[in-house]
Amino acid sequence: MFKKSLMALTMMLSINVSAQTMADADITVQQAAGDVYMLKGPGGNIGVLATDKGLLLVDDKFAPLAEKIETAMMVVEDKPLKYVVNTHYHGDHTGSNKFFSHKAPIFAHENVRTRLSSKKDHHAESLPVVTYKEGITIHLDNEEVQLTHLPSGHTDGDTYVYFKKANVLHTGDLFFEVGFPYVDLKSGGSVKGYLAAVNHMLENTPDDVIIIPGHGKLTNKKSLIDFAKMIKFSIDKVSQALAAGKSESEVVAAGIGEKYQHLSWAFITEEKWLKTLVADLK
Ligand SMILES: [Zn+2]
């Protein structure tokens, strides 16, 4: 009980802090490889392709950060924004859509548009204007930007983005470098689909690919392989427990085990990860 209320208090504090500090938040810029950069700050990681012919933006964090994102992009390359991509519909990846929609067309899987437009307070300008079912390739300068949809992983509208020339992968939230993943079961996500999506990205990118995860630091294929192993381990462990007739509380009490318990973090604790697995696998 104490642990629960302490956790709730911590959650409340961090929400207040993030609302308060949004205006003061810094957006930092780091080169991933070639013409592709990562913009970090509150919310999902942004990918920027910066060329002489213009810019392409992958995800756009929260609305209050829009101008800062634009400034950070212009520092990299002072050229017009040509295209925006949404990796999925969550607000920490699409919050600045309205701002950027006045500058460039937004591309996303069709379910992103459907889910955003079903939000009561949505703005028409925030919606992607180019939608696809399976994927689309955008050519900008001499870069080939491949957008690929994978079914039912983090949500039902996930896209991963591969910059072929630069050899950079933006995973969207199909990779949380910070710890256990968020699988949004209420928005069409699934843990087995999530693992399949991670494996798909591993199989379809070179070994030396540079990775921009949805959350966390710039990384490489080894960490994505470890992430896939952890998800497989989690699915197997919880499936076995459920087959043996264990309840949710017994699965939570047993824990994920020593090897992976350090991957518990503020948003997806070990308990939340285990409960997600039980809810989806039972
Ligand atoms: Zn997300």
Side-chain angles (χ1 to χ4, degrees), residues 87-93 154-155 158 172-173 176 182 184 215:
T87 59
H88 63 293
Y89 90 101
H90 286 152
D92 58 330
H93 296 256
H154 176 63
T155 66
D158 304 325
D173 278 357
F176 284 77
Y182 174 38
D184 188 350
H215 297 265

Side-chain angles (χ1 to χ4, degrees), residues 186-206:
K186 291 199 175 91
S187 302
S190 86
V191 290
K192 285 184 178 169
Y194 196 107
L195 176 60
V198 173
N199 284 331
H200 176 99
M201 292 189 293
L202 286 172
E203 285 155 18
N204 288 279
T205 51

Side-chain angles (χ1 to χ4, degrees), residues 241-260:
L242 292 171
K246 305 278 189 213
S247 66
E248 181 193 77
S249 53
E250 285 171 316
V251 170
V252 170
I256 194 74
E258 242 173 63
K259 189 171 181 191
Y260 293 120

Side-chain angles (χ1 to χ4, degrees), residues 13-241:
L13 283 174
S14 66
I15 286 165
N16 285 338
V17 167
S18 60
Q20 205 173 35
T21 54
M22 190 78 82
D24 314 319
D26 282 327
I27 301 290
T28 60
V29 181
Q30 187 181 1
Q31 185 182 27
D35 292 335
V36 180
Y37 296 78
M38 177 172 81
L39 269 49
K40 272 191 85 64
N45 289 329
I46 289 177
V48 175
L49 169 65
T51 78
D52 287 348
K53 303 269 170 14
L55 304 173
L56 177 146
L57 185 64
V58 181
D59 289 347
D60 55 30
K61 296 184 179 287
F62 298 107
L65 298 169
E67 269 142 6
K68 282 186 180 172
I69 294 166
E70 187 177 44
T71 305
M73 278 165 41
M74 294 306 154
V75 168
V76 178
E77 187 84 61
D78 191 4
K79 290 281 160 39
L81 179 64
K82 295 277 193 179
Y83 309 99
V84 178
V85 176
N86 291 155
T87 59
H88 63 293
Y89 90 101
H90 286 152
D92 58 330
H93 296 256
T94 60
S96 299
N97 271 11
K98 187 171 170 227
F99 178 89
F100 287 111
S101 71
H102 298 285
K103 299 163 193 279
I106 302 174
F107 288 63
H109 183 262
E110 59 183 13
N111 290 346
V112 174
R113 186 179 164 95
T114 306
R115 289 199 178 275
L116 284 176
S117 54
S118 68
K119 283 185 173 176
K120 265 196 204 126
D121 56 346
H122 82 274
H123 294 273
E125 307 105 286
S126 303
L127 303 178
V129 292
V130 183
T131 60
Y132 46 82
K133 285 181 191 297
E134 284 166 13
I136 198 164
T137 300
I138 302 173
H139 298 266
L140 179 56
D141 199 4
N142 48 17
E143 183 57 275
E144 191 177 318
V145 188
Q146 302 169 345
L147 279 50
T148 307
H149 166 66
L150 296 172
S152 188
H154 176 63
T155 66
D156 60 7
D158 304 325
T159 290
Y160 76 84
V161 180
Y162 180 60
F163 300 89
K164 194 175 174 190
K165 180 167 170 257
N167 190 24
V168 174
L169 167 67
H170 189 307
T171 63
D173 278 357
L174 291 170
F175 184 19
F176 284 77
E177 189 273 332
V178 289
F180 295 127
Y182 174 38
V183 179
D184 188 350
L185 301 180
K186 291 199 175 91
S187 302
S190 86
V191 290
K192 285 184 178 169
Y194 196 107
L195 176 60
V198 173
N199 284 331
H200 176 99
M201 292 189 293
L202 286 172
E203 285 155 18
N204 288 279
T205 51
D207 288 344
D208 59 351
V209 68
I210 302 293
I211 300 178
I212 301 174
H215 297 265
K217 62 180 188 297
L218 201 64
T219 186
N220 55 32
K221 206 160 184 181
K222 187 191 171 297
S223 69
L224 188 59
I225 292 169
D226 290 342
F227 184 69
K229 283 183 187 159
M230 178 276 290
I231 298 168
K232 170 94 170 50
F233 172 89
S234 303
I235 290 173
D236 290 348
K237 185 178 174 87
V238 172
S239 297
Q240 281 162 20

Side-chain angles (χ1 to χ4, degrees), residues 264-282:
S264 189
W265 59 294
F267 183 46
I268 307 295
T269 58
E270 180 181 349
E271 179 178 343
K272 183 162 182 188
W273 174 229
L274 289 167
K275 284 183 171 173
T276 301
L277 288 157
V278 170
D280 197 25
L281 298 169
K282 75 176 177 213

